[in-house]
Each structure stands twice: as C-alpha cells, then as structure tokens.
C-alpha cells in the first residue's frame, strides 16, 4: 500500500482559542524571547516564530524612505581563519543587542544595536570536526531563549554541536549538555562506515515552548559519494539542559507511518531527507512545521523506489513529544532537487482562516489549515511524464495546487526562448536542438548522450528555484504574501559516476545553452510576486531589479526597447506597516548593491538605497531608543562581508 498525504485529525481544540494576527504574533514570541516585533525587536530568524518577515514599525514611510543614511557598519574581517565574503545570515535584535554569526567558523558575536560595537564574541574550536564539516561558513543565524532572568543564545556549529551561550557574556552555559554544548553526532542513524559523517546544519535551531529543534543538512547531493548516507532525522532537546527529548525519523522504520512508501530495501540504506531550511511554529497549538528535503540523491532515485515519505513533505509535529500530527508530501520521489527550501509561513488571515504556507522551488504556494493539514484549495494528483533512465522509478502522478497560480514560470518549450530579435530567437532555437524540452514542470532527467543523442532535459525552474532559502514575507493585516523568485533554467542530465555506487548522478560538462552570452529564456529573470492569500489571487508582479548593463549594452540589443529584466538572484525581502523592502541578493549574475522600497499595494518603486556591496543576508528592521533601523549583511565580488545598518537622519 502506498500512502499519499494521509492526515491525522486533531480533536478537541476550538477555533475560538486561536488569537488575532497581532496578538497571536505577540504572545507567540513572548513565550521564548520575552519580546516581539510589536515591541520593535527582531527576535527570530524570520522576525517571529511564524516566519512572517513582518514588522509593524512605521517610522520609515513612503515620504522619508529616500532619506535613509548609513548609520553604522561592522566588518567581519579578522573574525575567522580566512576572509569571509559571503555571509547569508540574519542577525537577531533583542533589547538593543544584535546577535549574529560571523566568519567561516561560525563565530557568535553580540553587537550594540545603535553603533555596531562588539560586546562579546564566542568562537567554536572544533579541529578535525570543522575540517570535515559539510556546511562550513557563517550559516544563517542563531536562536534565542529566555526564561525569567535566564537568557541564552543557541546555535549549531559547523562541526554539528548544539551550543547554549549566556546572552549577556557569551560564556557557555555549564548546565546545558557538556559544559554548554551537545554533540549532535550522538544518536545518528546510518552514520557508520564513512571516513567522515556527511551531516551538519546551516540554519538556526528552532526554539519554542522550551524545546530546541535541530534539523540537519548534508552535502549537496548532485553527485553523492554513495547511495547510502546518514539519515536526516529531526531531533528535539530541552532548552534548559540540552537533554535529548525526541527524534522524528524522516525516513521511517518498519511499523511506522510511511514505511510502505519505500518499495524495497532502499529504506534501510538511503539517507538525507533532513531539514536544512529554517523551521516555524505555532506555540498555541504546540506545532513545529518541518520543510523536509529530498532523499539521496538529487538526480537519481533508482535505489529508493517509491514515494519516499517523508522526503519533500511538510510535516507538523508536537514540539513536546515529536509525534507527527499531520503531513503532506509535495513531491513524490524527488529527482529534481526541488526539496522544500524555506520556513513554512503561518498566518491568521483577515478572512478567518488559520493557515500554513510552503513556498517551493517549483514556484507554488502549497496552503493548508495549520491545525488539520487539510488543503485550503484543492490539490490535484495529476499524471506526469515518465522518463527512460535505466533503473529509475517514476511516480505516475504529482500534486498540483489549483490555487494560487504559480508565482514563476514552469516548464520550458520553444515559446520560452528569447525573442528580442528574430535573429536571436533563431539562434536560441538552434541552441536547444541538442536538449529535450519540458512541457510538463515534472519532466524528469535524461541520460547525457542518450539513445536520442540529446545532452539532457532543459528544466524550468532550476534546482535553485523559483523560491529558495530566502523564503517570503506576509503582511498579517492584509493577508498578502510577497515572494521573491528567480527564472533560470537548469539541465537535468545524468551519467555514470565512477566514484559512486549509484548507477547515475548529475552529468559533468553539460551547461544550459545561451545565445551570445544572453540567457536562453525570456525575461524577467527575477521577480517579486504579491498574492492575496484570502482569495488566492495574484495582486501584482514586478521585476526584482533593473536591466543589467551586460544586457542593456549588448551589441545585438542596441536600439531595442527592453523591458525591466530583473536578475536571477536570491533577493531578500521584508514588509513593514508601510512598505515592502527588497534587496537584489546573490546567487546569479547581474545583481547590484541596492535596496529598494516598494509600495506594498502596487509594487511601485518609491526609493532606491545604495549599499556598499550586494545584499547577501536577509534584510530586517528593528527599533532602538526611538530610532528605526534597517540592517543586513552585504558582501561578495571580492568585498569583505559586513553588517550595515541604515536609519533616518
């Protein structure tokens, strides 16, 4: 029997016990950090535990946003064994102090929120564990826990230790684990027999209701060393003591729900299926929401036939016990690397619905009742194409949401080839002749130099989205969600990897076709989409950036009236009482060091703020001593990562 999206109903909770949007957000955050965005702070990675990336601060308005000035800057130079040029993290701001990760060794610093002055620093010293770590670098941020007078900054090191630091001093808490740290290697499944253990984490731990939840991450799985890998179980720990409380097995064992979706022995040796993205939660329900990733490997799953629960599923757990409340699998048997990339977003909508939303790489917003897991709008299991890779197993159907409509392009046909001029279109059509196209978004990978002589399948979106770890933001007052996305093709091409026992892995040497240096696909290449989640209807869509000089000044495009193309980057956004803010991000060519303020009702650009370097971490806002700040990590292109903060004069 194959289980598809089986729900576990929850009894005995009246709808009336849930809170209004503002009260819900406020009481939720107060449960752990002692503060919230309504007090002017930014106490969680995404602002609050509901991952809304919203702040009600209104000092910065449409009338004065153009006057923002650089208030202070903090350089990360010298805070690691090597220079860090790309810090993708989001600091927390609590009671006038910023807590951030810096440097490749993921040091933790506390900074004065008004000046950037260093108050303390803690440095993990992990030796070989750091050398072997699959997820080095600054990570994406820390978490915070408070109970009475106790205040702790909680982090996961590159070497996969869970640490608890005194928030006032940075000194490890002697009552937590072994003198302030818990070894997360302990209790792993399927970790034996490897020279080094392919597991770590780059997301912050999730802290709610006195429980710390750790989701693991592995190396990128395009060319895995083996079909066997350590399993990405999610675990809960006591926030005071570090005691291990529970384990949720994302790859189930015999007798557990989901075991039937693994059709042979692959369930025993297959690994991954971790939660590398940030998590979110509802402290009133006691639910933590897991955006689970795909299983080993990213391009071939012939050794793991079946739907492979709980890979690529949204899973709601009881945070106290780790028991599954409900789940919904968004992709069966993922061979596209379209794992869930961002924290699920919770909201109490003006229409009365209490929802959880998962934005995805394939450019959908899957939307559920966050109590029961029932889809808000129907999700249809529709037939999808099977491929012809020898030994692969293909799911006959995939779940397609009926609402909202996709927020970015899906599938690639001749209609998607650039057509700035007839000559460029002709060259584009010629360039795609050696590839299979994808009329269906779930067109599977194909073999390099296969029986039809093609090099692979052109896929849109790519393995990096659509949406990715930058997630989205929602205005809880209106129920409008804002989603940054990128429009960029990738090639689904597999070949034999002589260094692995997998039959196939991602093929080397096959690149997406271009036309005289131009993307093969029509613009816009990056966009921001606003969707009213009360109705599921799109409100507006705008390009995320201006047309880059390399396109604007291209010799074959002179005299042509180009649209505003945007750039295929990971743009970071947040929304306030008055405005939508968006950087241009990184991860794609053409990004510029700018932060834009948009009218959040229309998308109109109201102001452009020049940055010293490209936005790399998620922008955020906070208030201290009567002044509202907007801050973010910037860097890249040879510029040292630094944290910059802006305020009105």
């Amino acid at each position: 029997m194959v289980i598809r999206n089986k729900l576990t109903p929850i009894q005995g909770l009246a709808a009336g016990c849930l809170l209004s949007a503002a009260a819900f957000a406020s009481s939720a955050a107060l449960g752990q950090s002692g503060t919230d965005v309504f007090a002017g702070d930014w106490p969680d990675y995404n602002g609050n535990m509901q991952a809304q990336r919203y702040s009600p601060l209104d000092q910065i308005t449409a009338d004065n946003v153009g006057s923002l000035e650089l208030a202070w800057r903090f350089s990360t130079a010298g805070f690691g064994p090597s220079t860090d040029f790309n810090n993708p993290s989001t600091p927390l701001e609590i009671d006038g102090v910023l807590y951030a990760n810096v440097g490749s060794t993921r040091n933790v610093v506390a900074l004065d929120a008004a000046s950037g002055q260093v108050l303390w620093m803690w440095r993990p010293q992990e030796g070989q564990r750091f050398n072997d770590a699959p997820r080095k670098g600054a990570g994406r941020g820390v978490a915070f826990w408070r109970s009475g007078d106790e205040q702790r900054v909680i982090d996961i090191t590159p070497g996969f230790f869970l640490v608890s630091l005194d928030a006032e001093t940075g000194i490890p808490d002697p009552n937590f684990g072994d003198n302030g740290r818990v070894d997360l290697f302990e209790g792993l499944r399927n970790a034996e027999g490897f020279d080094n253990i392919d597991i770590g984490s780059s997301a912050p731990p999730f802290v709610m209701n006195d429980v710390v939840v750790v989701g693991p991450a592995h190396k990128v799985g395009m060319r895995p060393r083996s079909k066997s890998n350590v399993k990405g179980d999610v675990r809960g720990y006591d926030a005071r003591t570090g005691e291990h409380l529970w384990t949720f097995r994302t790859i189930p064992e015999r007798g557990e729900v989901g075991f039937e979706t693994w059709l042979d022995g692959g369930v025993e040796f297959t690994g991954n299926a971790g939660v590398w993205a940030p998590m979110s939660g509802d402290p009133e329900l006691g639910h933590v929401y897991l955006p689970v990733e795909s299983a080993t490997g990213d391009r071939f799953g012939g050794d793991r036939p079946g739907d492979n629960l709980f890979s690529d599923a949204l899973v709601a757990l009881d945070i106290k016990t780790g028991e599954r409340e409900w789940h919904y699998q968004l992709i069966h048997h993922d061979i596209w690397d379209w794992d869930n990339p961002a924290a699920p977003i919770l909201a109490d909508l003006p229409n009365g619905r209490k929802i959880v939303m998962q934005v995805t790489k394939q450019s959908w917003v899957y939307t559920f009742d966050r109590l029961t897991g029932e889809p808000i709008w129907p999700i249809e299991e529709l037939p999808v194409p099977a491929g012809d890779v020898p030994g692969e197993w293909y799911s006959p159907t995939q779940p397609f949401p009926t609402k909202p409509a996709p927020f970015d392009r899906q599938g690639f046909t001749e209609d998607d080839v650039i057509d700035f001029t007839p000559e460029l279109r002709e060259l584009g059509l010629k360039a795609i002749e050696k590839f299979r196209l994808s009329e269906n978004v779930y067109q599977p990978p194909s073999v390099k130099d296969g029986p039809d002589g093609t090099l692979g399948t052109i896929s849109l979106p790519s393995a990096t989205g659509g949406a990715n770890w930058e997630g989205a933001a929602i205005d809880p007052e209106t129920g409008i969600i804002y989603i940054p996305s990128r429009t960029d093709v990738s090639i689904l091409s597999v070949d034999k990897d002589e260094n692995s026992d997998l039959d196939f892995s991602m093929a080397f040497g096959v690149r997406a076709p271009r036309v005289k240096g131009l993307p093969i696909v029509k613009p816009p290449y990056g966009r921001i989409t606003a969707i009213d989640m009360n109705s599921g209807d799109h409100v507006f869509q705008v390009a995320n950036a201006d047309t880059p000089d390399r396109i604007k000044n291209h010799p074959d495009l002179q005299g042509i009236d180009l649209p505003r193309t945007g750039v295929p980057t990971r743009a970071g956004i947040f929304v306030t009482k008055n405005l939508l803010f968006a950087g241009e991000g990184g991860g794609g060519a053409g990004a510029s060091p700018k932060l834009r303020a948009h009218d959040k009702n229309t998308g109109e650009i109201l102001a452009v703020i020049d940055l010293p370097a490209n936005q790399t971490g998620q922008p955020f806002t906070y208030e201290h001593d009567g002044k509202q700040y907007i801050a973010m990590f910037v860097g890249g292109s040879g510029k040292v990562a630094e944290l910059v903060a802006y305020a009105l004069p």
Side-chain angles (χ1 to χ4, degrees), residues 246-391:
W246 51 260
T247 296
F248 176 73
R249 288 181 280 272
T250 56
I251 298 176
E253 295 183 341
R254 187 175 300 276
E256 295 179 337
V257 169
F259 183 84
E260 301 89 344
T261 70
W262 298 75
L263 301 184
D264 73 357
V267 69
E268 304 295 340
F269 57 77
T270 300
N272 297 75
V275 176
W276 61 263
M279 291 171 273
S280 56
D282 182 335
E284 298 295 320
L285 291 178
H287 289 183
V288 55
Y289 298 92
L290 312 182
V292 185
E293 64 152 359
S294 54
T296 317
D298 288 344
R299 285 285 189 265
F300 180 75
D303 298 295
R304 50 173 173 87
D307 281 359
N308 305 147
L309 279 179
F310 290 92
S311 70
D312 296 277
L314 175 60
V315 182
L317 302 182
D318 183 309
I319 197 168
K320 287 292 189 181
T321 66
E323 293 294 322
R324 181 186 60 89
E325 301 289 352
W326 59 264
H327 74 272
Y328 205 103
Q329 190 178 43
L330 309 186
I331 301 177
H332 312 309
H333 191 82
D334 188 0
I335 48 178
W336 298 269
D337 189 31
W338 280 339
D339 44 5
N340 291 321
I345 300 171
L346 282 61
D348 291 353
L349 296 179
N351 67 8
R353 287 173 171 162
K354 304 173 191 306
I355 64 172
V356 56
M357 299 158 278
Q358 180 68 63
V359 299
T360 66
K361 290 183 179 180
Q362 64 268 41
S363 302
W364 274 306
V365 186
Y366 287 84
T367 311
F368 306 93
D369 181 294
R370 69 172 181 265
L371 171 63
T372 66
E374 292 288 347
I376 296 298
W377 296 284
I379 299 175
E380 299 176 335
E381 284 283 341
L382 299 179
V384 294
D388 55 6
V389 175

Side-chain angles (χ1 to χ4, degrees), residues 164-176:
S164 179
L165 310 174
D166 188 297
E168 294 185 0
T169 65
I171 296 172
D173 179 359
N175 299 314
F176 185 90

Side-chain angles (χ1 to χ4, degrees), residues 360-365 400-411 441 461 483 485 527 529-531 536-538 541:
T360 66
K361 290 183 179 180
Q362 64 268 41
S363 302
W364 274 306
V365 186
F400 286 70
T402 56
K403 265 195 166 187
F407 52 81
D408 213 307
R409 303 256 283 283
Q410 294 180 327
V441 65
I483 310 165
S485 61
R527 59 194 80 197
T529 305
I531 303 175
D537 297 327
H538 285 218
Q541 188 173 84

